[in-house]
Amino acid sequence: MKERIERLKKLTYIPQKEIAWLIEQAELAVKQREIIAENKRQEEVTVHQFRQAQKDIQQLSGDRKRYKQALEKIITNLNFAIQVAQNELDGAAE
């Protein structure tokens, strides 16, 4: 392609076939730029979604930890209440 462009630069008259080729190359270049721009936009959207997902995962991990701690406290309290009730039943049965 580069050789063809250099050859065209040296011509004083450019044949119709060569003009058609130049137009085709220009159209291809425009399409390539559009594709590159769209790919870049999609990449930016993907990066944003990935970062948002990371934040969500961190938040959910923190929530999970807090819920687990709260559940452990509830279980401990329930075990204590069961033990107290068991002791009262054992005392009443004697």
Side-chain angles (χ1 to χ4, degrees), residues 21-33:
W21 179 81
L22 285 172
I23 291 170
E24 180 182 313
Q25 294 304 309
E27 290 170 346
L28 285 174
V30 168
K31 287 179 185 177
Q32 287 175 341
R33 280 194 288 274

Side-chain angles (χ1 to χ4, degrees), residues 35-84:
I35 290 170
I36 289 168
E38 178 60 20
N39 287 345
K40 184 177 180 181
R41 187 193 67 77
Q42 289 178 1
E43 181 182 318
E44 289 170 355
V45 168
T46 302
V47 167
H48 175 72
Q49 289 173 336
F50 178 77
R51 288 184 179 149
Q52 185 61 47
Q54 280 183 319
K55 288 178 185 177
D56 292 346
I57 289 168
Q58 289 173 347
Q59 182 179 352
L60 290 171
S61 295
D63 290 347
R64 180 181 172 271
K65 185 177 178 181
R66 286 189 295 280
Y67 292 144
K68 183 178 178 184
Q69 289 171 345
L71 185 59
E72 287 171 351
K73 286 180 183 179
I74 290 170
I75 291 170
T76 300
N77 291 339
L78 285 173
N79 283 335
F80 179 75
I82 290 169
Q83 187 62 44
V84 168

